Amino acid sequence: MPTDHVDVLIVGAGLSGIGAAVHLTRDCPDRSYAVLEARGAIGGTWDLFRYPGVRSDSDMYTLGYSFKPWTDPKAIADGDAIRGYVRQTAREYGVDRHIRFHHRAVRAEWDSATARWTVYAHRDDTAEDVVLTCSFLFTNSGYYRYDAGYTPEFPGVERYAGRLVHPQHWPEDLDHTGKRVVVIGSGATAVTLVPAMAERAAHVTMLQRSPTYVIALPSRDGLAEALRRRLPAKAAYAVVRWKNVLLGVANFQLSRRAPTLVKRFLRRAASGRLPAGYDVDRHFSPRYDPWDQRLCVVPDGDLFDALSAGRAAVVTDTIDTFSEHGIRLASGAELPADIVVTATGLNLLALGGMSLAVDGREVDLARTVAYKGMMLSGVPNFAMTIGYTNASWTLKADLVATYVCRLLRHLDATGQQIVTPLAPDTDDLEPIIDLKSGYVLRAVDQLPKQGPAAPWRLHQNYPRDVLLMRHGRLADAGVRFARATTTPPAAAGERAQPADTPVG
Ligand SMILES: Cc1cc2nc3c(=O)[nH]c(=O)nc-3n(C[C@H](O)[C@H](O)[C@H](O)COP(=O)(O)OP(=O)(O)OC[C@H]3O[C@@H](n4cnc5c(N)ncnc54)[C@H](O)[C@@H]3O)c2cc1C
């Protein structure tokens, strides 16, 4: 089979993969690169999800790229505006010319002697297998399975005669005008779908087993609009981005330090938007603390408006069984439905389902430890993008791409070819994702771990991570640099020396 070689191989042409390619273009213009994309389109999440009302729940000043101002007046933006922004970025920086569509990366094998990865991909359009080599492998494959969302086993579902839909695969022909809709779920997707569908449906019920924290935020940013009139776009964007970063950090820290206060605030804010006598405790007061799971943002309080107007309702109960015409609940109540939407979540998938091997040994992801939240112990010349869980994904993606470019330049400058993280010298390890959401808990055993302290732990705090990733030392105790064919890279289980020992 013919192979071709690039310096850097990016897997995934979503928000992160396109951003990573732009960072490479700007910071490492001498490096060749290609992007493998399993689908036939740019945009990842923002191309796949097409359900009514699909939108971000982060503000676009932090979900947008550091290098490309978000100029749309909507700060909480619609899916198609985000898709357009990612595509325009790819065109503007010439990244689109480097993308190989319909190429699903399935396996990568590292060889220390040649300091190269051999990457195997499958073309979905032609059914061909393709082999490439690269010096650095950079996965930007998101965090969930594209082929199937998560749907629990519902008793009696085979009897249901209406339309059953998962938001990940929204049927183009589905018309919900005048229909009775039940949306099962209480996460970001459910709170987006309910007000959007309620505009045309006869009625929409959000059926949740337990509540989620929901907060109303303005869909436009007053400061951004004022600054845009006075400052160049880049300057206005930078100011608003930092304002939102700092507000986000402050909110998160307050939630962690004073959860009772924040719970009370969220309850009062929800209550103030709902009709008098509404059972806020039953439907909007979760048992967990704020930020144990992601907070759900509703722009301009659209969910609360739909509930107040009677176009939608929240039911907190469990499903006893589906019937032919709807759902029977444990309380005995019946919910008639022409359409049931299972907004029940995603299936987590690490590295887009790729398997890795290093010098003939399979990499067991669950036994690796993440270094700076982006590389894996014992896996040379490899980085992955996993965004923040408590802030916009792109803030971290930008830092990871910046760091990869710094690493590549460092390798050039020192005449070395290989960089391999080591595992920390401790068994005090935790899951890499610290959320307690169902989709995380279902897959946590298969994911890499993180250590108790830097560099094996990120702070989930953008300003601190900026210092570590943009300005911190590259050659620290957690990583080994080497020349090809001389020093072998670290073995999979090899641990770092105590933190102060100089390395590399
Ligand atoms: C409905 C929804 C709303 C969200 N809203 C927000 C939000 O408001 N704020 C926020 O911070 N985050 C949000 N997220 C998280 C969101 O996924 C990220 O913000 C961001 O889009 C992730 O970008 P990505 O490029 O890393 O991954 P993705 O968007 O998932 O893109 C990954 C790309 O990699 C490709 N790929 C995967 N595996 C392979 C493979 N093996 N070979 C080749 N290609 C592969 C995929 O086809 C896809 O194009 C949301 C997620 C969902 C599902």
Side-chain angles (χ1 to χ4, degrees):
M1 259 182 291
T3 57
D4 53 335
H5 179 80
V6 285
D7 293 328
V8 182
L9 188 67
I10 295 172
V11 177
L15 189 59
S16 309
I18 298 300
V22 174
H23 279 279
L24 266 179
T25 308
R26 288 158 49 114
D27 297 347
C28 299
D30 299 337
R31 299 277 182 161
S32 61
Y33 76 90
V35 183
L36 297 189
E37 169 50 56
R39 304 176 69 240
I42 291 172
T45 297
W46 304 106
D47 185 67
L48 177 74
F49 280 84
R50 300 295 179 119
Y51 58 77
V54 58
R55 57 162 173 80
S56 66
D57 59 358
S58 305
D59 71 276
M60 288 307 298
Y61 301 100
T62 56
L63 190 60
Y65 300 117
S66 56
F67 53 83
K68 184 170 170 64
W70 176 260
T71 52
D72 188 302
K74 270 189 165 178
I76 295 178
D78 301 334
D80 55 359
I82 305 176
R83 184 169 62 249
Y85 171 81
V86 180
R87 286 189 181 166
Q88 196 193 349
T89 306
R91 267 198 311 274
E92 212 172 293
Y93 288 88
V95 172
D96 47 359
R97 296 194 298 273
H98 297 257
I99 304 175
R100 302 184 191 187
F101 290 108
H102 298 290
H103 281 63
R104 174 181 306 283
V106 289
R107 180 168 175 79
E109 295 172 353
W110 169 260
D111 174 45
S112 293
T114 52
R116 282 189 173 188
W117 285 100
T118 301
V119 178
Y120 300 87
H122 181 73
R123 288 195 64 153
D124 290 345
D125 53 346
T126 60
E128 276 172 276
D129 291 320
V130 177
V131 185
L132 290 95
T133 59
C134 64
S135 305
F136 198 97
L137 179 61
F138 190 4
T139 61
N140 287 266
S141 47
Y143 62 104
Y144 61 87
R145 268 176 68 173
Y146 268 65
D147 57 340
Y150 175 69
T151 313
E153 302 253 319
F154 293 119
V157 71
E158 65 290 343
R159 284 206 298 271
Y160 179 56
R163 290 287 294 264
L164 188 70
V165 180
H166 194 286
Q168 194 164 326
H169 306 282
W170 200 263
E172 267 178 49
D173 68 336
L174 185 66
D175 181 8
H176 61 274
T177 310
K179 300 275 170 40
R180 295 162 305 173
V181 180
V182 172
V183 177
I184 305 175
S186 60
T189 302
V191 304
T192 303
L193 270 165
V194 169
M197 295 188 82
E199 284 174 16
R200 284 194 282 126
H203 187 264
V204 183
T205 304
M206 181 165 116
L207 171 59
Q208 59 181 14
R209 213 166 30 180
S210 57
T212 301
Y213 291 108
V214 178
I215 183 165
L217 290 180
S219 61
R220 289 171 175 242
D221 188 311
L223 178 69
E225 291 183 10
L227 288 181
R228 260 202 300 265
R229 286 194 292 271
R230 290 174 180 76
L231 294 177
K234 278 204 165 160
Y237 183 60
V239 173
V240 182
R241 189 173 167 90
W242 271 107
K243 182 260 295 175
N244 289 357
V245 162
L246 295 175
L247 273 178
V249 171
N251 282 339
F252 181 74
Q253 293 300 337
L254 187 66
S255 301
R256 280 283 171 258
R257 283 163 205 209
T260 313
L261 182 79
V262 175
K263 271 184 186 178
R264 221 178 299 141
F265 166 79
L266 290 169
R267 188 195 176 283
R268 197 169 317 139
S271 170
R273 290 195 164 256
L274 289 161
Y278 192 90
D279 195 346
V280 179
D281 290 326
R282 181 167 176 77
H283 302 310
F284 288 102
S285 298
R287 286 185 291 267
Y288 59 84
D289 283 342
W291 283 113
D292 280 353
Q293 299 186 20
R294 271 182 90 111
L295 234 67
C296 283
V297 170
V298 289
D300 304 321
D302 60 1
L303 173 70
F304 297 124
D305 290 347
L307 296 175
S308 303
R311 287 180 278 118
V314 179
V315 170
T316 306
D317 206 328
T318 45
I319 295 173
D320 174 31
T321 181
F322 270 70
S323 63
E324 196 185 337
H325 301 294
I327 298 172
R328 195 169 67 229
L329 302 171
S331 62
E334 302 266 349
L335 291 179
D338 306 306
I339 300 171
V340 172
V341 183
T342 53
T344 40
L346 308 161
N347 285 307
L348 224 72
L349 182 69
L351 310 186
M354 286 178 77
S355 61
L356 302 180
V358 172
D359 291 330
R361 286 190 309 268
E362 290 300 307
V363 174
D364 177 357
L365 279 188
R367 295 176 67 117
T368 61
V369 185
Y371 169 83
K372 294 183 177 162
M374 53 162 288
M375 296 173 81
L376 295 175
S377 59
V379 183
N381 291 22
F382 171 85
M384 61 185 181
T385 299
I386 302 177
Y388 286 124
T389 48
N390 66 347
S392 281
W393 182 275
T394 317
L395 291 174
K396 166 105 176 282
D398 262 337
L399 290 181
V400 171
T402 304
Y403 196 86
V404 166
C405 293
R406 286 183 69 204
L407 269 181
L408 294 173
R409 290 199 307 265
H410 179 82
L411 288 170
D412 276 352
T414 55
Q416 300 177 97
Q417 291 79 34
I418 304 176
V419 50
T420 315
L422 306 164
D425 190 18
T426 174
D427 293 320
D428 182 12
L429 301 174
E430 288 175 27
I432 190 172
I433 303 181
D434 55 1
L435 285 179
K436 297 190 177 69
S437 311
Y439 72 94
V440 176
L441 297 178
R442 281 196 298 275
V444 84
D445 293 349
Q446 299 144 39
L447 299 179
K449 306 284 183 287
Q450 62 176 337
W456 294 281
R457 190 181 196 95
L458 271 198
H459 309 294
Q460 292 281 347
N461 176 320
Y462 178 71
R464 284 180 74 182
D465 291 340
V466 165
L467 294 179
L468 181 74
M469 307 287 277
R470 284 205 192 135
H471 309 290
R473 281 181 63 202
L474 293 166
D476 62 26
V479 75
R480 175 181 296 169
F481 289 92
R483 291 194 170 78
T485 69
T486 52
T487 322
E494 191 173 339
R495 290 179 165 196
Q497 298 302 305
D500 295 340
T501 311
V503 181

